[in-house]
């Protein structure tokens, strides 16, 4: 707080780095509350890898501008004028956004107005921005604000030390001289340990009062063991508290289980800095697996299903599906997700039927077989399983008459198509990086294509339906969800088609995919203005063709529509 309140200090950027679970977000939250209390908080933004509105930089500058405008009427009026002057400002580069929405409005204030302006801007978890180049772009914007122009703002940013961040902060990096760095490492561990001790003691005491337990239900020695095992990691202590607080089970028994499971003496090996956290995760997962398998009659693979949930909502960053729909795609009974996560509520929670991970370190743990051991399900295995299930569901939807484009079934079928595109892109991208040849996946696409091409015809109609009826492909709408689906499919085909040609098993199946690729490529935003078919879709001639297209299910009609589209494009 001393640094933030020292407005005349030469460095206007405080950058805090630390490992997962070191307490960065907790400290940011505390500082944010203190800044708000002192009325100096201009804005705050917390990145979150599992939230598609907060795992990229699209909303960060508009959010900061909005919060700043809420605190000052003059700034709000100037920001409104900037948006009215350039309605497309939210689609422009970050540097253009911050100049138009923040820096220019503030520069037009009088000195007295500037002196009364809140000036602390807090950004947490930049490493959870899923695109590394976007991280770099954001850091260049911060560099511009603190080193190239005069602004009243002081920035406090916290993140894990990912590559883009290290490059900017290290000697020779563009933020090296501009930033005041703090590393949450051994030098700060004593402070974190004291805070963790207070948090654990208070939480256990409150839990005992809530459950009418004896005051002696836990001891100071128990707290010592938890604090030692945490080794400065808030996430460990928080996970222990959530675990022993679960409604099913006795807190004393569950606390004993945690303490007995922890490494002897709570000491951690230098080679395994997350040993205690890994041990806790392993214990919780193994107990939940036992409880689930005791009541499961379908012989479901507990770890495959749970890891699929975590990868989908934590790694792939998918906002397409809710858990009931994902269960349906995986061919599971209704309500399976509730049973799967019942004993895992210390690790995850559910909001609006979507999985929320309490901490990204869980996905890091699950992805690393060296840490998770038998709890690990390889990422490619999870993606393959989801990919095969998506192909199967699309095949089933393609046989329904009429096609399920509206209502609840329409929402699910659209989700399957979007998920298929994204999973195919992610899976094939990983195979490409690893120089792998995924024969069985290529065979699955060939088999899917050989099935009378009805599956691709269904996807083709679904995409065109969304383009015509909702404008979801509009490149000027940054949230255009079907644009992302088109992009994912075409990228996947660019990798898949050469593999199919290499195997040379079924030229007809490859021809169908090539036809889809050629057609959908013309719908991508960069070719939007040259595609006369899409530009003229409101014309009576096109509407007549569309009615024929959707009322028929034969391949000839599909090809007729494509021929018309290509003729339009070439004119």
């Amino acid at each position: 707080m001393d640094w933030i309140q020292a407005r005349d200090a030469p460095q206007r950027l405080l950058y805090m780095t630390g490992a997962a679970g070191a307490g960065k977000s907790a400290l940011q939250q505390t500082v944010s509350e203190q800044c708000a209390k002192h009325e100096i908080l201009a804005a705050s933004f917390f990145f979150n890898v599992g939230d598609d509105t907060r795992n990229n930089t699209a909303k960060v500058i508009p959010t900061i501008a909005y919060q700043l405008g809420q605190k000052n009427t003059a700034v709000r009026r100037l920001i409104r004028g900037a948006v009215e002057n350039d309605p497309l400002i939210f689609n422009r580069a970050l540097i253009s956004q911050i100049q138009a929405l923040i820096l220019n409005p503030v520069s037009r204030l009088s000195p007295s107005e500037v002196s009364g302006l809140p000036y602390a801007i807090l950004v947490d978890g930049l490493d959870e921005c899923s695109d590394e180049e976007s991280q770099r772009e954001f850091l260049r914007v911060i560099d511009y604000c603190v080193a190239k122009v005069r602004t009243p703002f002081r920035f406090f940013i916290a993140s894990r030390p990912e590559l883009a961040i290290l490059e900017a902060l290290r000697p020779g990096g563009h933020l090296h001289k501009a930033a005041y760095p703090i590393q949450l490492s051994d030098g700060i561990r004593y402070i974190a340990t004291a805070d963790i001790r207070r948090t654990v003691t208070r939480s256990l005491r409150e839990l005992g009062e809530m459950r009418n337990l004896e005051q002696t239900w836990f001891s100071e020695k128990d707290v010592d063991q938890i604090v030692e095992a945490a080794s400065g990691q808030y996430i460990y202590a928080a996970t222990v508290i959530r675990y022993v607080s679960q409604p099913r089970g006795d807190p004393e028994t569950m606390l004993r289980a945690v303490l007995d499971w922890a490494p002897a003496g709570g000491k951690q090996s230098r080679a395994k800095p997350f040993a205690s956290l890994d041990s806790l995760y392993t214990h919780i997962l193994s107990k939940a697996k036992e409880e689930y398998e005791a009541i499961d009659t379908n012989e479901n693979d507990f770890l495959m299903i749970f890891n699929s949930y975590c990868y989908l909502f934590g790694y792939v960053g998918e906002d397409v599906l809710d858990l009931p729909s994902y269960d349906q795609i995986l061919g599971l009974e209704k309500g399976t997700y509730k049973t799967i996560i019942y004993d895992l509520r210390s690790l995850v929670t559910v909001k609006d039927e979507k999985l929320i991970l309490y901490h990204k370190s869980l996905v890091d743990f699950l992805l690393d077989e060296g840490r998770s051991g038998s709890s690990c399900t390889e990422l490619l295995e999870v993606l393959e399983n989801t990919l095969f299930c998506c192909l199967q569901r699309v095949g089933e939807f393609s046989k329904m008459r009429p096609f399920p484009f509206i209502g609840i079934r329409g929402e699910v079928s659209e989700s399957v198509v979007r998920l298929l595109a994204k999973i195919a892109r992610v899976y094939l991208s990983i195979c490409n990086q690893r120089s792998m040849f995924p024969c069985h996946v290529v065979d699955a696409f060939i088999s899917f294509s050989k099935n009378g091409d009805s599956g691709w015809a269904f996807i083709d109609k679904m995409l065109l339906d969304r383009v015509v009826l909702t404008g979801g492909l509009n490149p000027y709408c940054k949230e255009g969800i079907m644009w992302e689906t088109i992009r994912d499919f075409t990228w996947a085909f660019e990798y898949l088609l050469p593999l199919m040609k290499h195997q040379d098993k079924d030229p007809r199946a490859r021809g169908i995919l090539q036809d889809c690729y050629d057609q959908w490529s013309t719908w991508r935003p960069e070719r939007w203005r040259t595609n006369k078919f899409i530009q003229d879709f409101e014309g009576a001639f096109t509407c007549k063709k569309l009615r024929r297209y959707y009322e028929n299910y034969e391949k000839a009609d599909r090809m007729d529509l494509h021929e018309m589209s290509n003729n339009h494009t070439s004119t």
Side-chain angles (χ1 to χ4, degrees):
M1 284 301 297
D2 290 341
W3 178 90
I4 290 179
Q5 291 177 303
R7 298 190 69 169
D8 296 329
Q11 290 168 309
R12 290 182 286 136
L13 169 61
L14 175 67
Y15 207 115
M16 179 172 66
T17 57
K24 301 181 299 295
S25 296
L27 287 173
Q28 276 274 25
Q29 187 65 45
T30 300
V31 172
S32 176
E33 293 170 357
Q34 289 297 312
C35 287
K37 182 179 178 181
H38 289 84
E39 298 183 345
I40 61 173
L41 180 65
S44 62
F45 188 91
F46 288 70
F47 283 95
N48 187 314
V49 70
D51 182 344
D52 263 24
T53 65
R54 293 190 290 139
N55 66 3
N56 57 74
T57 56
K59 301 289 177 59
V60 61
I61 302 301
T63 299
I64 292 173
Y66 171 80
Q67 293 181 22
L68 184 61
Q70 291 296 303
K71 296 176 174 67
N72 186 286
T73 54
V75 173
R76 181 164 66 247
R77 174 175 51 80
L78 292 167
I79 293 173
R80 184 188 302 120
V83 175
E84 291 172 353
N85 184 57
D86 184 4
L88 298 180
I89 185 61
F90 301 113
N91 291 337
R92 304 202 185 282
L94 294 185
I95 188 67
S96 299
Q97 291 185 30
I98 202 165
Q99 286 173 333
L101 299 175
I102 298 175
L103 300 182
N104 290 347
V106 170
S107 70
R108 297 174 61 182
L109 298 178
S110 67
S112 60
E113 287 175 316
V114 171
S115 65
L117 196 67
Y119 56 85
I121 296 178
L122 278 59
V123 178
D124 181 65
L126 178 59
D127 57 283
E128 299 203 30
C129 172
S130 55
D131 179 38
E132 192 173 273
E133 188 52 43
S134 293
Q135 295 177 19
R136 290 190 173 93
E137 182 187 10
F138 179 74
L139 291 174
R140 287 193 293 268
V141 168
I142 296 300
D143 177 50
Y144 178 80
C145 292
V146 300
K148 306 296 192 301
V149 297
R150 287 188 60 82
T151 74
F153 303 112
R154 300 180 71 74
F155 295 87
F156 178 22
I157 304 178
S159 71
R160 294 195 294 178
E162 300 293 344
L163 178 61
I165 294 153
L166 287 177
E167 288 176 346
L169 294 174
R170 70 188 179 190
H174 60 84
L175 286 177
H176 177 64
K177 294 182 179 179
Y180 180 75
I182 292 180
Q183 292 180 306
L184 290 185
S185 56
D186 292 339
I188 298 185
R189 183 158 294 170
Y190 175 77
I191 300 174
T193 296
D195 287 341
I196 291 171
R197 181 181 301 280
R198 284 192 291 270
T199 299
V200 170
T201 302
R202 184 184 69 251
S203 299
L204 293 179
R205 185 183 300 117
E206 291 174 352
L207 177 60
E209 293 171 355
M210 187 184 305
R211 299 287 188 89
N212 295 318
L213 301 176
E214 297 289 337
Q215 291 187 356
T216 57
W217 81 274
F218 73 95
S219 67
E220 192 66 27
K221 183 180 177 181
D222 297 336
V223 175
D224 289 342
Q225 189 169 341
I226 294 172
V227 172
E228 284 294 317
S231 191
Q233 298 171 12
Y234 273 92
I235 183 58
Y236 178 87
T239 303
V240 169
I241 297 302
R242 284 194 298 267
Y243 180 68
V244 300
S245 301
Q246 289 185 117
R248 183 163 79 175
D250 173 56
E252 291 186 78
T253 302
M254 300 181 84
L255 179 60
R256 288 302 113 202
V258 169
L259 298 176
D260 292 343
W261 191 273
K267 301 295 183 183
Q268 294 189 38
S269 164
R270 287 183 178 272
K272 295 185 176 181
F274 299 106
S276 295
L277 183 61
D278 294 350
S279 180
L280 181 60
Y281 280 159
T282 299
H283 170 68
I284 293 172
L285 285 168
S286 63
K287 294 297 292 183
K289 182 174 181 288
E290 286 179 19
E291 296 290 346
Y292 176 80
E293 291 178 345
I295 61 173
D296 175 44
T297 59
N298 298 310
E299 298 185 355
N300 288 329
D301 187 333
F302 172 84
L303 290 173
M304 169 64 81
I305 296 171
F306 179 66
N307 285 359
S308 296
Y309 293 160
C310 290
Y311 292 160
L312 181 71
F313 290 94
Y315 177 77
V316 179
E318 182 58 57
D319 69 330
V320 170
L321 289 173
D322 54 30
L323 284 164
S325 298
Y326 193 42
D327 277 350
Q328 184 177 345
I329 290 174
L330 294 178
L332 302 172
E333 286 187 349
K334 184 177 181 180
T336 295
Y337 78 90
K338 295 180 181 178
T339 312
I340 289 288
I341 69 172
Y342 190 88
D343 291 299
L344 295 172
R345 285 175 290 184
S346 59
L347 307 181
V348 298
T349 188
V350 175
K351 182 179 180 181
D352 298 329
E353 296 187 323
K354 294 195 175 184
L355 192 74
I356 306 296
L357 278 66
Y358 281 119
H359 203 273
K360 186 179 181 292
S361 62
L362 175 61
V363 176
D364 297 337
F365 167 78
L366 293 172
L367 284 171
D368 188 342
E369 186 175 3
R371 293 175 59 190
S372 54
S374 60
S375 298
C376 177
T377 302
E378 222 280 326
L379 175 60
L380 283 182
E381 187 179 349
V382 171
L383 294 176
E384 283 178 14
N385 182 61
T386 303
L387 186 63
F388 295 155
C389 289
C390 285
L391 290 173
Q392 185 175 347
R393 298 291 91 76
V394 170
E396 293 168 358
F397 282 129
S398 69
K399 294 179 174 61
M400 296 182 181
R401 298 294 183 268
F403 280 146
F405 285 166
I406 60 174
I408 299 299
R409 287 200 307 174
E411 294 176 7
V412 175
S413 61
E414 179 183 315
S415 296
V416 175
V417 170
R418 291 171 61 195
L419 183 62
L420 173 61
K422 177 160 283 192
I423 294 294
R425 178 181 63 81
V426 172
Y427 177 86
L428 292 170
S429 177
I430 294 174
C431 289
N432 189 27
Q433 293 169 7
R434 299 182 183 181
S435 299
M436 294 174 56
F437 193 99
C439 298
H440 44 301
V441 171
V442 174
D443 289 342
F445 275 101
I446 290 175
S447 177
F448 179 76
S449 303
K450 288 170 63 176
N451 188 23
D453 86 346
S454 59
W456 293 119
F458 172 81
I459 295 174
D460 191 54
K461 290 173 185 278
M462 166 68 78
L463 294 175
L464 189 58
D465 174 84
R466 294 308 188 251
V467 171
V468 173
L469 298 182
T470 69
L473 204 61
N474 191 330
Y476 301 114
C477 174
K478 205 163 189 177
E479 303 302 319
I481 54 177
M482 300 314 288
W483 171 80
E484 294 184 2
T485 301
I486 293 287
R487 180 199 62 189
D488 290 338
F489 268 128
T490 54
W491 191 98
F493 287 172
E494 287 173 1
Y495 184 70
L496 187 61
L497 284 167
L499 295 180
M500 296 177 71
K501 184 177 181 179
H502 178 76
Q503 286 196 216
D504 198 27
K505 288 185 176 180
D506 194 315
R508 179 179 175 276
R510 188 175 75 251
I512 292 171
L513 257 71
Q514 185 69 55
D515 176 52
C516 291
Y517 173 76
D518 293 342
Q519 178 60 29
W520 297 346
S521 294
T522 68
W523 296 354
R524 288 159 65 169
E526 60 268 25
R527 302 178 67 178
W528 176 277
R529 290 185 180 277
T530 63
N531 192 313
K532 293 294 294 180
F533 170 66
I534 295 178
Q535 292 294 314
D536 297 340
F537 67 75
E538 292 182 348
F541 176 73
T542 304
C543 287
K544 181 179 179 181
K545 287 286 186 179
L546 284 174
R547 280 195 294 273
R548 284 184 55 197
Y549 185 50
Y550 287 113
E551 290 168 1
N552 279 277
Y553 306 98
E554 301 301 324
K555 174 184 175 183
D557 186 63
R558 171 172 174 265
M559 297 308 296
D560 178 52
L561 185 75
H562 278 197
E563 182 179 352
M564 181 194 70
S565 174
N566 291 329
N567 289 338
H568 269 277
T569 305
S570 62
T571 58

